[in-house]
Amino acid sequence: MSRDIYAQSNDMSVVTWQKPTPVFSQSFDWLKLTSDEWLKGDIISMYDDELEFDSDEFGVRFFDWEDISELRSRFDQQIRLADGQIVQGFLIVKEGHLTLISGGTEQHFPLADLLSITSAADTRKELWDAKVSVGVDLNKGNSNQLDYLVTAQAQRRTPFTRLRADFTFNYSEASNDDVTNVSVNTRRFNTYLDWFFNAEIFFRVLEYENYSDLQQNIKVRHSVGTSLGYHIVNTKRIEWDFTVGPSYQSTLYHSAAANESDDSAALSFSTLFEYQISSKIDYILDYQMQFVSEESGARNHHFKSGFELEFIKDLDIDLLFYFDRIAKPVAVIVQEAPESNDYRLVLSVGYRF
């Protein structure tokens, strides 16, 4: 990246080191720290005065502007300014000023006016953050049992929006003498789109959930809603969101004592708390609750909490506790109603990409 330059004094006996002149490879974004160190890698995003940078050598790191001396991008970046204006171009940040170069024209802004940075290239993978985790327990012998849990998350952020999707599939079966019994078969898919009004307030424009649970006699449950959200805390290490709003729920049962399906208006509440304990350990708490009609279950709860530990670059070990509750489950014909509560403690391996 740089060429070392040495100069000799007049007596030809002392060699003096001179500060190298950087030579920037266009294959990377470049970040210079106030310590005079340069990092090459990828600009991921910037929100709340914190830059997320994927260093080619050190992985994903977060930096405050007070620790950054210079920043240069190799692709167009979209920036959002304090007045709501969005502009894009090749980005240079230096000495408290921001320069965007597009079509041979330079635009200059005070760094204090900058609210966010995201890539302007919609096809770049850096716009997305995704992870897939798998946990499996296989027993063989007098009886054969298979338990596994698959989860997947994906998120995409722009200066104004956040799109997120989560999927969970939990399955358990036991077989003996060619007879197979499925004891757990649960699927949950949830997605939402947020629009940020400012740094604290956002609107969950649309949220959708598709849920099925053999144990709870739910063949499929659809939930559609909208809500208002607030960033309770949003720092480099802690992010805590809260949302509340109306929704609509439609449920189809495997076999019900009365109706085969129920429809209900609902009031939905959710909170998501993420804490980066260290560079290797993250803690997550995700809780969702819906108030629905008595016929549809009265109150539906979904709770997830646990730790994600990075042990190799892009590979995590996840230890997560799941709790699902339906206050008034709907019974299968001629059977007692299912238990209201379901618990799971899962150890799995996850891959980030």
Side-chain angles (χ1 to χ4, degrees):
M1 187 207 79
S2 59
R3 299 188 181 97
D4 291 337
I5 302 173
Y6 294 85
Q8 289 185 324
S9 61
N10 292 332
D11 61 9
M12 302 299 289
S13 61
V14 179
V15 177
T16 304
W17 178 84
Q18 294 184 358
K19 189 176 181 178
T21 301
V23 178
F24 298 101
S25 166
Q26 295 305 308
S27 301
F28 301 96
D29 299 323
W30 291 92
L31 171 66
K32 183 183 180 183
L33 303 177
T34 52
S35 61
D36 236 13
E37 299 169 281
W38 282 96
L39 299 178
K40 65 180 181 180
D42 295 300
I43 299 171
I44 298 177
S45 63
M46 193 284 298
Y47 296 95
D48 301 308
D49 292 326
E50 293 172 341
L51 177 72
E52 186 176 4
F53 190 85
D54 188 2
S55 166
D56 188 58
E57 180 67 25
F58 304 109
V60 177
R61 293 291 184 269
F62 292 86
F63 299 93
D64 296 323
W65 281 117
E66 63 185 22
D67 300 321
I68 298 173
S69 174
E70 192 170 337
L71 179 67
R72 295 173 177 266
S73 74
R74 71 188 189 278
F75 293 120
D76 275 7
Q77 303 290 318
Q78 280 188 343
I79 69 168
R80 182 183 178 188
L81 302 173
D83 61 3
Q85 182 183 7
I86 293 183
V87 290
Q88 72 179 57
F90 290 96
L91 174 69
I92 300 175
V93 176
K94 189 175 183 180
E95 297 177 352
H97 287 81
L98 185 151
T99 302
L100 280 181
I101 304 173
S102 180
T105 302
E106 293 187 5
Q107 295 177 279
H108 299 271
F109 307 95
L111 186 59
D113 290 347
L114 178 64
L115 285 185
S116 65
I117 300 174
T118 54
S119 172
D122 290 341
T123 59
R124 288 186 62 199
K125 67 180 179 62
E126 285 81 4
L127 286 170
W128 291 90
D129 180 21
K131 179 180 177 179
V132 175
S133 300
V134 178
V136 178
D137 184 8
L138 179 63
N139 297 313
K140 291 285 187 179
N142 294 320
S143 63
N144 303 322
Q145 183 163 332
L146 170 65
D147 304 301
Y148 65 86
L149 177 82
V150 178
T151 65
Q153 302 94 35
Q155 179 173 272
R156 181 184 187 273
R157 293 196 67 160
T158 72
F160 278 109
T161 64
R162 173 176 59 187
L163 175 64
R164 177 163 176 156
D166 293 89
F167 174 74
T168 303
F169 177 45
N170 188 31
Y171 183 84
S172 179
E173 69 173 30
S175 59
N176 191 3
D177 297 330
D178 297 326
V179 177
T180 300
N181 295 312
V182 177
S183 57
V184 178
N185 189 348
T186 303
R187 294 178 176 85
R188 183 188 299 272
F189 172 76
N190 180 275
T191 185
Y192 56 78
L193 175 65
D194 293 337
W195 180 80
F196 292 92
F197 177 73
N198 57 36
E200 292 82 27
I201 299 173
F202 61 93
F203 295 100
R204 185 147 293 175
V205 181
L206 179 66
E207 181 172 17
Y208 170 72
E209 182 183 76
N210 183 293
Y211 177 70
S212 66
D213 190 335
L214 179 65
Q215 292 173 294
Q216 292 289 350
N217 189 32
I218 297 174
K219 187 173 184 178
V220 63
R221 186 177 73 197
H222 302 281
S223 300
V224 180
T226 186
S227 57
L228 178 66
Y230 184 75
H231 279 310
I232 300 173
V233 180
N234 194 7
T235 67
K236 178 169 61 177
R237 300 183 65 179
I238 299 176
E239 185 170 348
W240 189 8
D241 292 346
F242 167 89
T243 66
V244 62
S247 62
Y248 178 80
Q249 178 181 288
S250 176
T251 307
L252 178 65
Y253 301 102
H254 286 285
S255 179
N259 300 324
E260 293 183 357
S261 63
D262 282 315
D263 298 327
S264 173
L267 178 65
S268 299
F269 159 87
S270 72
T271 185
L272 177 63
F273 177 82
E274 296 177 315
Y275 174 36
Q276 186 182 25
I277 299 173
S278 70
S279 61
K280 299 291 185 180
I281 304 175
D282 295 335
Y283 172 75
I284 183 172
L285 185 151
D286 186 4
Y287 176 63
Q288 304 163 31
M289 181 173 67
Q290 288 181 318
F291 294 95
V292 295
S293 66
E294 295 288 318
E295 295 78 11
S296 296
R299 295 174 303 278
N300 302 326
H301 306 259
H302 174 65
F303 176 84
K304 178 177 72 173
S305 180
F307 298 90
E308 300 175 345
L309 299 89
E310 180 183 344
F311 70 103
I312 300 177
K313 183 179 180 180
D314 299 329
L315 286 177
D316 295 346
I317 293 179
D318 302 337
L319 180 62
L320 296 172
F321 172 75
Y322 293 84
F323 167 64
D324 290 288
R325 172 179 170 81
I326 298 177
K328 294 186 177 181
V330 176
V332 178
I333 296 175
V334 305
Q335 292 186 18
E336 294 184 1
E339 292 288 336
S340 293
N341 301 328
D342 289 310
Y343 307 89
R344 300 190 304 276
L345 183 64
V346 180
L347 183 68
S348 59
V349 176
Y351 173 68
R352 296 182 182 273
F353 56 95

